Amino acid sequence: MTAALIAILSMTVLGLPITLAVDRRARGPLLVGASFLYGSGAIFLILLALSVVKLRWTLPEVTLAALAVFCAASILARRPATGKPQPAARAHVFDVVTLFALTGYALFATLASLWEWDFWAIWGLKARVFLEAGAIDWRFLGSRWNTFAHTDYPLLVPLNFDFVALLNGSWSDRWLGLLCVAWGVGAVLIVRGLAARETSPFFASLLGLALTSRAVSTFIGLAEGALIAFGGAAVLFVRAALRDDDDDAAWRHGALMLGFAANCKNEGLALLVAVTIAVAAVSWFRGGETSRLRRLGTAAKLWPAYALAAPWLLLRFTHVLPTDIAGGSPFSRLMARLPQVHEILAFLITRLHDPWFWIVILAGILIAPAAARRPERFVFLVTVIQLLVYVVAYLATPNDLHWHVNTSWSRLTAQAALPIAFVVFLMLANSLRGGQDAPHAQARPDE
Amino acid sequence: MLRRALLLITLLALLVVCIKPRMLQIVFTDREAAAREMNGSPDRLWPLYPRFLEGVRAHTQPGDTIAIIAPGMAWDSGYSYAYYRASYFLTGREVLPLVTPENEKLPQNFRAARYLAVFEMTVRMPAEIVWQGEGGTLLRPVWGTPPPAGRPSPSGGNAIAPDPEAQR
């Protein structure tokens, strides 16, 4: 357990100057949550880079590389803050209940050695193989007998497991669940910090409590938790950037988080595409004096996300790691299933995990005043595109469609839940408070 | 007024559907029983299998090729579990499957393996027993020697012929 805790603490300390370099104004829960996520992403990049330059992973080497990153980020973080000052979140009694819920999650995630099939057949397996090799084992990934381990999946999560193992001195899956807790806590802290900018401490804390269950994944040891954290944070930061007069720091946060999400799972890559399309679409239809073409260029602000996603895509391409969904002829499978699309959609609805959640989300969107709904088009669009991409993936799957849906649909919908729940909650809460848009609402008294 | 009531009801409904009582309840539940269940959940089918694989790991070296023989030898009747689980426990070695997900036999892997990890089965073929225990045997095949006459199978019908090709 000590190794996992030291790893989480080290990642948070490493991420602290990175967060401040991205946004000198970051404070409170947002600073802590973003620091852990950036630290987790930085450790992934360090291990990936060491592996690419063929340096065997050892604790001293990784520590030295992390120190170099820490120093570079600290120098960058010394730049003066730009943009409007952001208020830090004020604590509320509901935060205690959130803490209690997260404690419950931590107890669940650390009940036993990681038990999920996908952990020991995919995420944990790769981490363990790489640890023994002291680097990414391309021979293992290239072997036709190991395609079951989805060798094309990005490696942020396995390499984070490896960092814990390096600190531990050997492989142990007993306490790796703590990393899932840390990703979840990171997401909750960011959500809490962002909510505090837009509503009262009462509603911000209530939102934090409500969204705790959406920010964590019950699939312990899989990449879902990391993807929800990075992906959820990315969408919410880009939303903040679009709303808050193109806040540069929010763009940087959003793009970097999006890039790390793309390094968690292939769905993160899909999210990157969904966010780019949504940003372009929202910018296109946005009013203003600049030309539409110029506004379309707003999506270029996401370039750091593509820069972060590129190395793994390149490595995956050069090592010819196959993607199961693209195997054979996905287009012909898609065309063959297209006539049954209504049946497939009906099947997805019957298999929807947590249907009441989605019904309430839909009700919330319909009931909220149009003025509150309009600024949230970006998140609505991202969610719709994400769900569409999943449906297309099901149509093109080489696996038995029913099996594929049964084994993944609940996870996929959980990945999309955090940002949409955030905006629907805020729309409802702020409409109740009498103001559809309440930036910097912490300064206002509670009702 | 009606809209405010609807907004309030929807917000409360969102709270209700989002808050998971289980996250709070777990603090007060018997976690030892839950931990026991979780610990055993991956290996409910063959509880001894992880310990057998640990034994195989202890008696082989990194880089060794190991083929897995387990009851059923059909992908969806346990072989996928046996193969994936072995891959996790035997990292550093090359674990080879003997059947595909379509249940086609892979005789080339049988011949390519330096070791055969045989769990709850008996293999009738010339082989050196490297280690035995936890419900299984680790064999090093000796190719080019005729198979010994009818070794008894401890698990009834769970016997495999020397060359999977013969079972086609």
Side-chain angles (χ1 to χ4, degrees):
Chain A
M1 179 157 80
T2 314
L5 291 175
I6 292 174
I8 291 165
L9 194 66
S10 319
M11 288 178 187
T12 311
V13 173
L14 172 62
L16 211 61
I18 301 174
T19 310
L20 291 172
V22 172
D23 181 9
R24 193 69 187 80
R25 303 161 302 164
R27 295 159 69 187
L30 193 143
L31 174 62
V32 180
S35 294
F36 170 71
L37 293 187
Y38 283 132
S40 163
I43 285 296
F44 154 70
L45 290 176
I46 288 169
L47 292 185
L48 184 72
L50 289 175
S51 198
V52 167
V53 296
K54 300 196 185 314
L55 278 176
R56 194 182 166 83
W57 298 338
T58 60
L59 193 54
E61 271 180 10
V62 174
T63 310
L64 269 177
L67 271 174
V69 172
F70 183 87
C71 292
S74 299
I75 293 166
L76 286 174
R78 291 174 69 177
R79 289 181 310 184
T82 52
K84 284 183 285 185
Q86 299 286 7
R90 289 213 317 265
H92 191 278
V93 69
F94 280 125
D95 293 327
V96 179
V97 189
T98 305
L99 197 66
F100 193 68
L102 286 169
T103 307
Y105 176 68
L107 291 173
F108 168 70
T110 55
L111 266 177
S113 294
L114 295 183
W115 57 86
E116 288 281 353
W117 177 292
D118 277 4
F119 169 77
W120 48 263
I122 301 174
W123 310 101
L125 169 62
K126 279 188 260 189
R128 200 171 171 176
V129 167
F130 299 165
L131 182 76
E132 290 199 15
I136 296 170
D137 187 342
W138 297 108
R139 204 178 137 267
F140 173 87
L141 294 179
S143 165
R144 59 181 286 220
W145 309 118
N146 297 326
T147 48
F148 70 90
H150 293 277
T151 50
D152 62 310
Y153 282 6
L155 296 176
L156 186 143
V157 170
L159 299 196
N160 271 223
F161 288 157
D162 281 326
F163 181 57
V164 177
L166 282 170
L167 283 166
N168 192 48
S170 63
W171 178 259
S172 165
D173 53 24
R174 177 63 190 89
W175 296 104
L176 289 178
L178 281 171
L179 272 181
C180 296
V181 178
W183 284 311
V185 171
V188 171
L189 289 172
I190 289 173
V191 160
R192 179 69 177 84
L194 288 174
R197 294 178 181 177
E198 295 184 38
T199 190
S200 66
F202 169 76
F203 279 122
S205 61
L206 207 56
L207 184 148
L209 170 63
L211 265 58
T212 296
S213 66
R214 304 289 146 190
V216 299
S217 169
T218 49
F219 298 97
I220 310 297
L222 280 56
E224 311 301 314
L227 179 62
I228 291 170
F230 284 112
V235 174
L236 294 180
F237 275 123
V238 173
R239 168 188 173 271
L242 285 167
R243 283 170 62 97
D244 210 358
D245 297 329
D246 288 337
D247 177 351
D248 283 340
W251 274 117
R252 286 193 292 271
H253 274 307
L256 290 171
M257 292 289 177
L258 200 52
F260 287 128
N263 279 295
C264 290
K265 290 196 82 180
N266 287 345
E267 291 95 302
L269 283 168
L271 179 67
L272 176 52
V273 174
V275 169
T276 308
I277 296 171
V279 166
V282 169
S283 305
W284 180 268
F285 291 108
R286 217 173 173 187
E289 287 168 11
T290 49
S291 71
R292 281 194 158 171
L293 213 61
R294 206 180 162 90
R295 274 181 264 147
L296 205 60
T298 311
K301 291 185 177 179
L302 294 173
W303 72 265
Y306 285 89
L308 282 177
W312 175 248
L313 286 176
L314 207 64
L315 287 166
R316 171 173 148 176
F317 177 74
T318 50
H319 288 88
V320 202
L321 303 179
T323 300
D324 62 350
I325 211 129
S329 175
F331 186 71
S332 56
R333 287 193 297 268
L334 190 140
M335 294 313 285
R337 285 186 180 126
L338 219 46
Q340 292 107 47
V341 74
H342 59 286
E343 288 168 29
I344 293 166
L345 288 175
F347 183 65
L348 287 174
I349 290 168
T350 59
R351 287 289 182 274
L352 188 62
H353 178 69
D354 226 350
W356 283 109
F357 168 77
W358 292 101
I359 290 169
V360 173
I361 289 291
L362 274 176
I365 293 170
L366 292 174
I367 289 164
R373 250 193 326 257
R374 210 167 297 121
E376 307 301 355
R377 281 175 304 190
F378 165 70
V379 176
F380 298 154
L381 202 52
V382 169
T383 311
V384 169
I385 297 171
Q386 260 183 299
L387 296 177
L388 265 176
V389 169
Y390 299 155
V391 172
V392 171
Y394 283 135
L395 290 173
T397 182
N399 302 307
D400 173 68
L401 192 131
H402 289 85
W403 172 86
H404 201 163
V405 169
N406 285 331
T407 54
S408 62
W409 185 225
S410 63
R411 282 186 288 123
L412 296 181
T413 45
Q415 290 167 10
L418 182 65
I420 191 90
F422 180 93
V423 298
V424 170
F425 191 104
L426 275 188
M427 279 190 325
L428 297 171
N430 285 338
S431 301
L432 270 174
R433 294 176 73 230
Q436 283 80 41
D437 193 0
H440 315 304
Q442 290 264 335
R444 299 181 186 178
D446 263 351
E447 286 158 351
Chain B
M1 188 63 195
L2 176 67
R3 169 159 269 182
R4 272 188 79 80
L6 282 173
L7 286 168
L8 186 63
I9 290 167
T10 317
L11 186 64
L12 288 174
L14 187 57
L15 268 174
V16 169
V17 295
C18 277
I19 293 173
K20 300 277 176 204
R22 272 184 303 173
M23 282 179 79
L24 306 171
Q25 281 167 359
I26 193 166
V27 180
F28 307 105
T29 54
D30 177 9
R31 288 194 299 280
E32 277 195 21
R36 267 197 306 278
E37 193 186 324
M38 291 299 195
N39 264 326
S41 65
D43 307 298
R44 217 167 273 146
L45 187 63
W46 301 325
L48 275 180
Y49 192 54
R51 276 155 57 188
F52 167 67
L53 292 174
E54 293 283 14
V56 171
R57 186 180 174 86
H59 291 87
T60 52
Q61 299 297 318
D64 283 340
T65 45
I66 306 167
I68 304 296
I69 297 177
M73 294 300 286
W75 192 257
D76 289 328
S77 309
Y79 194 77
S80 56
Y81 155 82
Y83 173 55
Y84 295 162
R85 202 68 173 137
S87 299
Y88 181 69
F89 277 91
L90 302 176
T91 46
R93 290 91 179 131
E94 191 175 7
V95 181
L96 298 174
L98 293 180
V99 291
T100 66
E102 292 77 33
N103 287 327
E104 289 161 13
K105 305 256 184 290
L106 294 165
Q108 70 273 30
N109 283 354
F110 192 80
R111 287 205 167 261
R114 181 174 165 83
Y115 293 101
L116 297 175
V118 186
F119 184 70
E120 292 188 352
M121 299 268 287
T122 297
V123 175
R124 291 193 210 99
M125 68 175 293
E128 176 195 338
I129 295 176
V130 179
W131 170 77
Q132 231 170 351
E134 308 295 354
T137 312
L138 179 67
L139 299 175
R140 184 160 38 211
V142 182
W143 298 107
T145 315
R151 268 169 66 182
S153 163
S155 44
N158 283 350
I160 193 165
D163 190 341
E165 199 116 55
Q167 294 183 48
R168 281 188 160 181

